[in-house]
Amino acid sequence: ALEIINSVFPSFFNLIIRSVKMVVFFTGKDNSFASLQTHGIIYLNVKKGLSVVSFIDDIVHQSAHVIFNTITLKSKSTFFISNHNKSNLDNGPGGDNLYARFHGLYTMCFITYCLTKSYKKKIFNGTQNLELVGRIVDNMIKFERLVNLLIKPEDCTKYGLEWFAVFKTVYNNLKMENNKLISNYDVSNQPYVFDFDIFCKSNPSC
């Protein structure tokens, strides 16, 4: 999975190498461990049946949270006007505050870009390529929801608004690239963590 990330998105691979200090493997129920309390660590579920495609998605997702924490750890005021609404500066990617939304947008930029490049370069075929398609569509839908959430200009600094504009541009560009896939595949019944079996039941092409 890391070799593929390096081949399709070398600049992000270099960020992973610089930012992630430890990888913890576990088996069991999928969970998000992204938090400042375990900063620098990513947790990979290695339960039986997971594919290389799922590891690419998970590694990029969790690494992006670590990288965004590193960027913003001591500079949230660069992005947000803290004295306007302190709840928008809650630590970590969880919850429904402005900082959490920026976390989500940042991770979606990298996940969807990396998966899309893997598809364009025809890295996979057969079942794995179908899973890749499903994950692209599922993540693009999540990306769209985050982009469409109301961001109040008074909550952000000028720099924060510039970042949000970049997120929207990345989304629009990737939507153009993936528009046909988004139109042709159904992910409406997907749980939070993508399930390939459910995807196949909803899409006869599997």
Side-chain angles (χ1 to χ4, degrees):
L2 282 169
E3 288 179 356
I4 292 171
I5 293 170
N6 189 28
S7 69
V8 301
F9 201 175
S11 59
F12 185 74
F13 177 81
N14 289 333
L15 287 175
I16 293 175
I17 297 301
R18 291 170 56 188
S19 303
V20 176
K21 306 305 180 185
M22 181 183 297
V23 180
V24 175
F25 300 101
F26 74 98
T27 58
K29 186 179 179 180
D30 290 304
N31 200 352
S32 175
F33 298 96
S35 72
L36 291 175
Q37 286 71 32
T38 57
H39 180 59
I41 304 174
I42 66 173
Y43 296 81
L44 299 180
N45 194 342
V46 291
K47 66 183 180 182
K48 187 176 180 180
L50 294 178
S51 68
V52 175
V53 179
S54 71
F55 281 114
I56 292 172
D57 191 335
D58 201 17
I59 290 169
V60 175
H61 186 170
Q62 294 201 45
S63 298
H65 276 308
V66 171
I67 294 163
F68 191 72
N69 275 335
T70 301
I71 294 170
T72 62
L73 190 59
K74 295 181 179 179
S75 61
K76 290 179 189 176
S77 60
T78 304
F79 296 92
F80 312 111
I81 302 173
S82 59
N83 61 1
H84 174 75
N85 187 347
K86 291 184 179 180
S87 65
N88 278 328
L89 293 169
D90 290 344
N91 288 335
D96 183 24
N97 56 73
L98 194 56
Y99 186 59
R101 293 177 191 179
F102 270 71
H103 247 290
L105 286 163
Y106 187 83
T107 60
M108 280 298 142
C109 283
F110 289 111
I111 296 167
T112 51
Y113 184 86
C114 189
L115 295 179
T116 298
K117 288 301 177 184
S118 298
Y119 180 73
K120 297 295 183 181
K121 289 195 171 188
K122 300 181 179 179
I123 301 292
F124 299 101
N125 51 50
T127 300
Q128 286 191 324
N129 193 58
L130 278 170
E131 181 180 353
L132 177 64
V133 167
R135 287 179 178 275
I136 290 171
V137 177
D138 188 48
N139 279 296
M140 285 300 301
I141 298 300
K142 292 175 182 175
F143 200 172
E144 180 179 38
R145 290 182 192 133
L146 283 168
V147 165
N148 288 335
L149 285 173
L150 179 64
I151 301 292
K152 296 179 181 178
E154 63 267 25
D155 285 343
C156 295
T157 62
K158 179 182 177 182
Y159 190 49
L161 291 173
E162 288 173 356
W163 268 65
F164 184 68
V166 170
F167 295 146
K168 288 187 72 172
T169 299
V170 171
Y171 166 76
N172 288 330
N173 290 340
L174 288 169
K175 184 180 180 181
M176 288 177 59
E177 285 195 61
N178 294 306
N179 198 46
K180 188 174 181 180
L181 296 180
I182 295 169
S183 300
N184 290 343
Y185 291 92
D186 178 18
V187 294
S188 60
N189 59 347
Q190 281 292 323
Y192 177 74
V193 177
F194 180 82
D195 188 311
F196 185 54
D197 290 334
I198 292 175
F199 178 75
C200 286
K201 290 176 183 176
S202 302
N203 295 277
S205 59
C206 287

